């Protein structure tokens, strides 16, 4: 899952990016409103976190523009303590939730999980296909009783495919939702990670979960 964080306080922005990456999210950071707006409308994200007070464009303006572009990505606003009217305006311009600074990382994770659940096609917290279970809270993947150790990228690819089960996902979609903007990733890199993923979740269990759609991408199906 790929997140855009627009926050001009460098220390906070970098700390949030670091902890989110530990939770296996891919994170792009914009330190000002202009870049934030460019990325928010030009790239594909699963969640956008917007600080309200920003240089150039405010978080509220970005939010408004994103919704005008018919982009439905969940938006979490960050607001300074006591700016009650910001919260109201934020929800009015199409934000899904807001959080008052300072916040704990635990609170941030909980909000993110709730917002990801609210997005279309994202239902339960725990993702399940047959005996394969992926728990986004613990980042654990199990097949029946057996826990499967995955690398961060393998895990994120699997999570993305499971969240979009029964749809064909292109390698380009995987690249844009699993890697951040700075990463220079080729479709062949995706193939390598998917191969490793299959070696861990398909081969040992005599399973063929990840199907290759020739010339296009992959599909995980539970039908
Ligand atoms: Ca700020």
């Amino acid at each position: 899952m790929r997140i855009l964080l627009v926050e001009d306080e460098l220390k906070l922005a970098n700390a949030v990016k670091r902890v989110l990456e530990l939770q296996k999210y891919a994170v792009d950071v914009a330190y000002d409103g202009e870049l934030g707006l460019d990325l928010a409308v030009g790239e594909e994200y699963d969640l956008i976190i917007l600080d309200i007070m920003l240089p150039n464009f405010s978080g509220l303006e970005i939010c408004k523009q994103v919704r005008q572009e018919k982009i439905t990505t969940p938006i979490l606003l960050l607001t300074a303590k006591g700016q009650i009217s910001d919260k109201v305006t934020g929800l009015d311009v199409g934000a899904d939730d807001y959080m008052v600074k300072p916040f704990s990382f635990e609170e941030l994770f909980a909000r993110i999980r709730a917002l990801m659940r609210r997005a279309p096609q994202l239902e339960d917290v725990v993702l399940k296909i047959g005996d394969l279970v992926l728990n986004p809270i613990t980042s654990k993947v199990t097949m029946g009783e057996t826990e499967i150790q995955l690398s961060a990228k393998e895990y994120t690819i699997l999570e993305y495919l499971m969240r979009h089960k029964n749809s064909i996902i292109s390698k380009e979609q995987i690249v844009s939702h699993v890697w951040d903007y700075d990463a220079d990733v080729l479709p062949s890199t995706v193939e390598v990670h998917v191969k490793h993923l299959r070696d861990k979740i398909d081969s040992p269990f005599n399973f063929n979960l990840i199907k290759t759609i020739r010339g296009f991408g992959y599909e995980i199906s539970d039908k």
Side-chain angles (χ1 to χ4, degrees):
M1 302 285 107
R2 186 180 178 199
I3 295 177
L4 172 64
L5 170 65
V6 189
E7 167 62 75
D8 61 320
E9 285 167 53
L10 249 72
K11 262 176 90 174
L12 177 63
N14 294 337
V16 168
K17 178 178 164 76
R18 206 165 47 240
V19 294
L20 289 178
E21 284 174 347
L22 287 174
Q23 301 281 310
K24 301 193 168 71
Y25 296 107
V27 184
D28 288 344
V29 180
Y31 299 107
D32 71 85
E34 196 175 359
L35 178 62
L37 179 61
D38 278 356
L39 290 173
V41 299
E43 296 289 315
E44 278 183 42
Y45 294 100
D46 302 290
L47 175 75
I48 299 172
I49 303 174
L50 282 178
D51 184 30
I52 290 183
M53 297 288 284
L54 292 165
N56 302 323
F57 298 109
S58 78
L60 295 176
E61 286 171 298
I62 296 173
C63 187
K64 210 167 149 184
Q65 292 236 30
V66 165
R67 293 302 183 235
Q68 273 170 3
E69 299 282 329
K70 307 268 181 274
I71 296 167
T72 57
T73 309
I75 295 180
L76 171 63
L77 285 176
L78 303 180
T79 172
K81 214 172 181 173
Q83 293 176 312
I84 302 288
S85 58
D86 278 352
K87 295 174 195 165
V88 178
T89 323
L91 299 179
D92 286 347
V93 295
D96 298 274
D97 200 1
Y98 56 84
M99 210 165 59
V100 179
K101 291 200 239 181
F103 49 83
S104 72
F105 290 140
E106 287 311 316
E107 187 188 357
L108 176 65
F109 300 153
R111 298 293 180 101
I112 292 174
R113 286 195 295 266
L115 285 171
M116 299 255 190
R117 272 205 299 281
R118 227 177 280 169
Q121 86 274 67
L122 311 180
E123 303 119 30
D124 296 322
V125 188
V126 173
L127 307 173
K128 259 180 114 167
I129 291 176
D131 288 335
L132 181 73
V133 176
L134 182 148
N135 184 335
I137 296 173
T138 58
S139 300
K140 274 191 184 158
V141 176
T142 50
M143 181 76 85
E145 302 284 294
T146 314
E147 189 178 336
I148 301 167
Q149 304 293 337
L150 299 178
S151 74
K153 290 302 178 211
E154 289 158 12
Y155 173 91
T156 318
I157 292 171
L158 181 63
E159 182 186 9
Y160 190 72
L161 290 172
M162 286 178 85
R163 283 194 190 278
H164 298 86
K165 66 181 180 187
N166 303 319
S167 11
I168 298 170
I169 301 296
S170 71
K171 288 169 200 167
E172 288 73 21
Q173 275 172 294
I174 293 177
V175 170
S176 62
H177 286 268
V178 172
W179 278 270
D180 61 39
Y181 191 73
D182 296 327
D184 200 5
V185 181
L186 296 170
S188 58
T189 312
V190 176
E191 287 164 24
V192 171
H193 286 286
V194 169
K195 190 201 170 295
H196 292 158
L197 200 47
R198 281 184 171 135
D199 289 344
K200 291 175 182 177
I201 64 170
D202 278 355
S203 318
F205 303 95
N206 238 332
F207 218 47
N208 182 19
L209 185 76
I210 306 169
K211 293 178 184 66
T212 299
I213 311 298
R214 209 164 275 283
F216 192 75
Y218 304 98
E219 179 179 12
I220 284 185
S221 156
D222 64 356
K223 284 176 182 159

